[in-house]
Amino acid sequence: DSGVTQTPKHLITATGQRVTLRCSPRSGDLSVYWYQQSLDQGLQFLIQYYNGEERAKGNILERFSAQQFPDLHSELNLSSLELGDSALYFCASSVTSGRAMFDTQYFGPGTRLTVL
Amino acid sequence: AQSVAQPEDQVNVAEGNPLTVKCTYSVSGNPYLFWYVQYPNRGLQFLLKYITGDNLVKGSYGFEAEFNKSQTSFHLKKPSALVSDSALYFCAVRDTNYNFNKFYFGSGTKLNVKP
């Protein structure tokens, strides 16, 4: 158990809908990262937040957005869902902003999103 | 640009035999390399990392990895495989140029350990 929690574990929804995925980092970690894992794209970095502020952006679609709250939990919002958005969404956390050499990301169990 | 390649989609090994999961990297600057393991329906678990220093890195569950700068490789190894090692293994490199926070993951290698 990494200490990173994600809810829900599974989510089934329809095209065009909007969903929110939630992540709580390990105690003491200030950074939260979001990844998408799909069969055809592999594991892709989406976005990172550090202490409430966006710090890095990856291959995140404009239909997707995220935020990190004062208690450091983070939410990933996916809107206008398409079939191709079906994937595993992972959250990871780390202690620092990511610039420290020793910084390691610890992953949550993931949320499996199915868009029908 | 930073990238890693895992040339084998799948590795099959018998229990008790040594295992190697291959990873090669391409970076500009010093490489910061990681191995993660993903068990079915679970998140990625950190195994080990190379930042600097000794080329042989020891990690969790008896795994180790050998950093080879001349061959730009970071192969994961274990002297004696267990059936419970069967999982998906990912090599990753972190961006040390423009965005230190970004990790680039390989496509993954499925390890099958047979009794």
Side-chain angles (χ1 to χ4, degrees), chain A residues 29-114:
Chain A
D29 284 1
L30 298 177
S31 275
V32 170
Y33 308 76
W34 286 98
Y35 290 85
Q36 179 193 58
Q37 185 181 37
S38 60
L39 283 174
D40 56 342
Q41 297 283 337
L43 195 62
Q44 300 262 323
F45 167 72
L46 295 178
I47 197 164
Q48 180 214 359
Y49 277 81
Y50 171 70
N51 207 18
E53 294 186 359
E54 182 184 306
R55 188 56 68 100
K57 219 167 187 177
N59 302 323
I60 189 166
L61 300 172
E62 285 190 11
R63 300 183 286 108
F64 297 179
S65 65
Q67 54 184 327
Q68 186 179 26
F69 295 86
D71 67 352
L72 300 176
H73 92 270
S74 177
E75 293 180 356
L76 179 67
N77 301 298
L78 315 176
S79 61
S80 303
L81 284 167
E82 302 175 359
L83 295 177
D85 297 328
S86 296
L88 262 172
Y89 291 84
F90 287 109
C91 165
S93 73
S94 69
V95 171
T96 74
S97 65
R99 294 203 64 81
M101 285 196 309
F102 59 83
D103 209 32
T104 298
Q105 294 183 19
Y106 294 91
F107 284 74
T111 294
R112 182 172 293 280
L113 173 66
T114 303

Side-chain angles (χ1 to χ4, degrees), chain B:
Chain B
Q2 327 281 33
S3 66
V4 290
Q6 294 180 244
E8 301 157 317
D9 290 337
Q10 186 166 300
V11 169
N12 299 311
V13 64
E15 187 174 31
N17 283 0
L19 70 87
T20 299
V21 182
K22 295 180 180 177
C23 172
T24 58
Y25 64 89
S26 174
V27 303
S28 49
N30 294 323
Y32 296 153
L33 298 156
F34 299 76
W35 274 103
Y36 285 83
V37 58
Q38 185 179 23
Y39 296 101
N41 301 313
R42 301 280 294 277
L44 277 71
Q45 294 181 32
F46 169 72
L47 277 180
L48 51 81
K49 65 184 176 187
Y50 172 83
I51 303 297
T52 186
D54 199 348
N55 289 343
L56 187 63
V57 180
K58 293 192 182 297
S60 306
Y61 313 120
F63 283 94
E64 56 190 27
E66 187 171 10
F67 171 69
N68 188 316
K69 189 172 183 178
S70 62
Q71 297 184 5
T72 62
S73 66
F74 189 55
H75 300 332
L76 182 70
K77 299 181 180 184
K78 188 173 183 181
S80 179
L82 301 172
V83 172
S84 58
D85 292 330
S86 298
L88 191 57
Y89 290 80
F90 290 95
C91 181
V93 64
R94 83 187 298 170
D95 192 326
T96 55
N97 280 343
Y98 300 107
N99 196 330
F100 212 67
N101 309 309
K102 291 178 74 171
F103 276 49
Y104 296 89
F105 284 83
S107 54
T109 298
K110 186 176 181 183
L111 174 65
N112 295 314
V113 181
K114 298 182 180 179

